[in-house]
Amino acid sequence: MRMKGKNVIVTGGASGIGLASVERCLEEGASVVIADLEGGEGAARAAALDGRYAGRCLFKACDVTDTAQVDRLFAETVDELGGVDAVFNNAGIGGIAPSDEVSDDDFLRVIDINLNGVFRVARAALRVMYRQGSGSIVNCASILGMMGQSQTAAYTAAKGGVVNMTRTLGIEAAPKGVRVNAIGPGYIDTPLLAALDDELLQGLISLHPMARLGRPEEVANAFLFLASDEASFITGTTLMVDGGFTAGKS
């Protein structure tokens, strides 16, 4: 069990990639905090998993745009579990609109959640992990952190920032025993994509050389690897989990 005895926080852990990552960590022996918005499915998800995994899953309400809530998440986790060994900095939102039509408020909201929120969580994690002298932070970037796409100016700006911030944090944290990496998912088969009409869905599939969408558990497996001791000499990098999307066109 690769994560036995480890304590893990997953932001945006109530659904999709986040929930798949929570389950993989539990399967591998970790205690896991699902951090997600108050009033969503997080508490129910944690309760169900806690029953299946011997009291190793709990829920903490956290809005990553609120520094006080982020700092409280880490303080409470340390108090209850004793430390934080790994963090999946996964909370985020999408945003599609022509750039000339995007309002300041909409642009800044995407940035605040997808970039500033990632920084707030990473900063809180670093403070805990520096005291411990160990830990692994994995930020969720995107294929759109590596390339552009029309009508996604805010999202690509945020995810590109996550990729480069990961490099900087990896350099800073390395001498203190902490690793910082990122994952760049392609289009993943989640209920959000299932709502698309078939023509658009097939168009997305065709963009991946592997000719299919990714599965949440495939991204979760990448997180598990980077969070574990198996990735002990890896820091400051972004691991693409994209079916060859960013490799180029055949």
Side-chain angles (χ1 to χ4, degrees):
M1 299 182 89
R2 286 181 283 175
M3 300 294 284
K4 187 173 183 179
K6 303 287 190 181
N7 300 322
V8 181
I9 294 174
V10 180
T11 66
S15 63
I17 291 169
L19 182 60
S21 300
V22 169
E23 294 195 59
R24 287 295 290 121
C25 288
L26 289 167
E27 290 167 0
E28 292 289 338
S31 295
V32 185
V33 175
I34 294 177
D36 215 307
L37 295 173
E38 186 80 69
E41 297 182 338
R45 301 282 194 198
L49 290 169
D50 196 55
R52 286 171 50 196
Y53 290 100
R56 289 189 282 113
C57 188
L58 62 156
F59 171 74
K60 298 285 184 186
C62 183
D63 180 343
V64 299
T65 68
D66 187 322
T67 297
Q69 289 190 38
V70 171
D71 291 345
R72 183 169 64 246
L73 165 67
F74 281 84
E76 290 181 356
T77 300
V78 171
D79 286 344
E80 295 177 35
L81 300 182
V84 179
D85 300 293
V87 172
F88 191 12
N89 211 343
N90 171 70
I93 60 169
I96 298 176
S99 297
D100 60 321
E101 297 178 9
V102 176
S103 69
D104 284 359
D105 286 347
D106 288 345
F107 187 93
L108 293 173
R109 180 169 181 266
V110 172
I111 296 294
D112 199 23
I113 295 172
N114 290 4
L115 180 58
N116 301 345
V118 168
F119 176 73
R120 292 183 187 99
V121 171
R123 178 178 59 192
L126 289 173
R127 289 167 176 167
V128 171
M129 293 174 177
Y130 284 173
R131 294 196 298 268
Q132 297 171 169
S134 64
S136 174
I137 300 168
V138 181
N139 299 322
C140 194
S142 169
I143 51 175
L144 299 185
M146 296 294 193
M147 58 190 297
Q149 181 172 293
S150 62
Q151 302 189 53
T152 62
Y155 189 85
T156 53
K159 293 301 187 177
V162 169
V163 168
N164 218 32
M165 181 170 65
T166 296
R167 295 185 180 107
T168 296
L169 296 181
I171 294 167
E172 283 188 31
K176 300 183 181 181
V178 178
R179 295 182 298 106
V180 185
N181 291 289
I183 293 173
Y187 286 98
I188 306 301
D189 190 4
T190 65
L192 183 63
L193 290 188
L196 298 178
D197 66 66
D198 188 63
E199 183 179 357
L200 185 52
L201 188 62
Q202 291 304 315
L204 290 179
I205 289 171
S206 71
L207 296 173
H208 300 75
M210 293 183 73
R212 66 174 177 87
L213 301 176
R215 298 187 295 272
E217 59 268 26
E218 291 175 313
V219 184
N221 286 335
F223 162 67
L224 188 69
F225 167 66
L226 290 173
S228 76
D229 294 337
E230 293 177 357
S232 56
F233 198 55
I234 301 174
T235 199
T237 195
T238 298
L239 173 61
M240 305 308 295
V241 187
D242 67 354
F245 189 107
T246 55
K249 303 301 179 186
S250 61

